[in-house]
Amino acid sequence: MRLEWAGIKRRVRHGPHHIVITNPPRRAGGTLTRCNVDWVRTDRIFARLDREPEPPEIDLPRMTATRKVLFGSTLVFYGAIVVAVLTTSRLVRLDWQIMFFRPYEQWPQLHAFIDYYVVLGQRGPTAVMVTAWLGWRSWRQHTLRPLLALGVALLLLNITVGAVKLGLGRLGPHYATQIGSAELFMGGDIFPSGHTANAVVTWGILAYLASTPRTRRHLSVVSAVVALGVGAATVYLGTHWVSDVLLGWAAGLLIVLALPWFEPLIGFGEAWIFEQREKWRARRAGASAPAAAPGSPAPAPRPAAVASEASQPQTLPQTLPREKVVTVRPAVSGPRSPAPHLAPRTHTVRSERSPVTPPVSRRPQQHPDRVSARGTSAGSAAARPVAGG
């Protein structure tokens, strides 16, 4: 029994991509069934990480009636917060009460954790994390829409939140100068809260780009909890007023709700980028093709063309004189035909061969002037006595 059980475990464990969970039999006489050996196929898990063969069909979020109602309600809430701060209403009084309460002194044991948690609202770290995730999704789904949607959302965030920050110029709790005042137009930049708005947009974009409605709902809840926690963390640390956080939540939510209006722009940008990529690839392929050098021979023609051209002689251009026009036949590739065999001749002796040189003397004829000069010099030499004779 035990040997059979060990053999089954060995065969299942050595199978490809399996995580084996073995349940030993409860009694000695029990039969081995599939319930005793359960496995989880990891190849299906890793297959979800591979690149999809073609872009999947994803339903783009539309500006439905519900979304329009939420956008309008959030816009009204945004305006109400701004008016309440400008008129120094009870909301400003609440800001001062919580500032004097000093939550970081009431619960000091949470300070270390909240210092790390508030990083989830900082622009740099969150943008890097979300960009890495959306970049992998873009590669897997053959589309640039996730990255472009994130870029559009962050651009809207910088424009809208930055403009209100600089326009109202509110000071933070640590830099307040007059108790009970709204601290507006004092050169500050904390209203609305950038950490809170960034948390809503950065983590909300994950829910916006979810593939299924169920996943979108779950991620919406998670992103809302994270954004609420970041806003509360800034109030705990004393870096923002309560009204700053409320306006930051509204500003981030407005951007996420308005993204469906920018889907045509995102699609146009994606098509333009892919078009430029194809042009660059075509230009690179044309530049990498080998170009013929000025003095290099032309490429060899096709066999059919060679056979047809070999049957017809080629002549040089007619610009040369007629008597110098020669006929040139192209060299045909292939084995050369052997030279014709000549008839054998009888070998003759040297004395029987006909002379090749002319019968006249080989010495060149002398010039008459030189001959007369030589005769004169010879006569004078004969009349001269020979010395030593």
Side-chain angles (χ1 to χ4, degrees):
M1 183 68 181
R2 291 185 178 181
L3 294 177
E4 183 181 0
W5 175 250
I8 292 177
K9 290 196 298 182
R10 189 182 305 107
R11 288 195 300 270
V12 176
R13 184 176 289 109
H14 291 288
H17 304 292
H18 285 79
I19 299 176
V20 181
I21 305 173
T22 58
N23 299 323
R26 297 183 179 275
R27 55 185 179 179
T31 57
L32 292 176
T33 62
R34 184 172 181 178
C35 298
N36 293 329
V37 181
D38 300 330
W39 62 87
V40 180
R41 294 185 60 88
T42 57
D43 52 352
R44 297 179 181 176
I45 299 176
F46 289 107
R48 295 179 64 87
L49 302 179
D50 296 336
R51 194 176 191 186
E52 298 182 5
E54 58 183 11
E57 295 182 1
I58 301 177
D59 295 335
L60 300 179
R62 296 173 298 175
M63 185 57 73
T64 59
T66 304
R67 188 180 290 268
K68 291 180 180 179
V69 171
L70 290 175
F71 182 84
S73 304
T74 307
L75 186 60
V76 172
F77 179 77
Y78 186 97
I81 296 297
V82 174
V83 172
V85 173
L86 288 174
T87 58
T88 316
S89 62
R90 293 182 180 181
L91 182 59
V92 177
R93 185 183 306 174
L94 177 64
D95 290 340
W96 280 97
Q97 290 175 353
I98 295 180
M99 193 273 289
F100 285 130
F101 182 70
R102 292 182 175 85
Y104 55 88
E105 293 182 356
Q106 302 296 329
W107 301 285
Q109 64 275 11
L110 300 178
H111 202 290
F113 169 75
I114 292 180
D115 276 339
Y116 289 103
Y117 183 82
V118 79
V119 176
L120 296 177
Q122 290 184 359
R123 185 73 49 82
T126 56
V128 171
M129 290 187 290
V130 176
T131 301
W133 170 258
L134 296 182
W136 173 78
R137 278 197 56 187
S138 298
W139 170 82
R140 184 173 181 266
Q141 297 178 352
H142 307 267
T143 178
L144 294 177
R145 177 175 169 266
L147 291 176
L148 293 178
L150 176 63
V152 170
L154 293 181
L155 182 62
L156 292 175
L157 177 65
N158 291 334
I159 294 175
T160 56
V161 175
V164 178
K165 277 176 173 286
L166 298 178
L168 297 179
R170 191 181 189 186
L171 294 177
H174 293 306
Y175 302 96
T177 58
Q178 185 178 357
I179 298 176
S181 66
E183 302 294 329
L184 293 174
F185 310 108
M186 303 289 291
D189 56 351
I190 65 156
F191 183 71
S193 172
H195 278 68
T196 306
N198 183 73
V200 174
V201 172
T202 305
W203 303 112
I205 198 72
L206 299 180
Y208 176 80
L209 296 173
S211 303
T212 60
R214 181 181 179 183
T215 306
R216 187 177 295 116
R217 288 193 297 268
H218 292 171
L219 290 179
S220 298
V221 174
V222 173
S223 61
V225 171
V226 173
L228 290 173
V230 170
T234 59
V235 175
Y236 170 87
L237 296 174
T239 57
H240 281 286
W241 306 99
V242 175
S243 55
D244 299 343
V245 174
L246 294 177
L247 196 65
W249 283 331
L253 186 58
L254 285 175
I255 293 173
V256 175
L257 292 174
L259 280 179
W261 282 328
F262 295 90
E263 284 294 340
L265 178 62
I266 294 174
F268 175 78
E270 182 182 13
W272 182 83
I273 292 175
F274 282 146
E275 181 182 358
Q276 297 301 317
R277 184 191 66 176
E278 296 301 328
K279 290 182 179 180
W280 178 77
R281 286 181 176 179
R283 193 182 306 112
R284 183 180 180 184
S288 61
S296 60
R302 292 174 297 180
V306 172
S308 60
E309 292 178 1
S311 60
Q312 300 180 0
Q314 299 179 359
T315 58
L316 295 177
Q318 296 298 330
T319 55
L320 298 177
R322 185 173 298 276
E323 60 272 13
K324 291 187 179 181
V325 174
V326 294
T327 302
V328 180
R329 292 183 179 274
V332 181
S333 60
R336 301 180 61 180
S337 59
H341 183 70
L342 301 178
R345 296 184 302 174
T346 57
H347 185 70
T348 56
V349 187
R350 183 178 180 85
S351 59
E352 298 177 357
R353 298 176 187 173
S354 58
V356 182
T357 57
V360 297
S361 177
R362 297 181 180 180
R363 180 176 300 177
Q365 298 181 2
Q366 297 181 357
H367 199 272
D369 297 338
R370 295 182 179 178
V371 172
S372 59
R374 283 186 178 183
T376 306
S377 60
S380 59
R384 189 181 305 169
V386 180

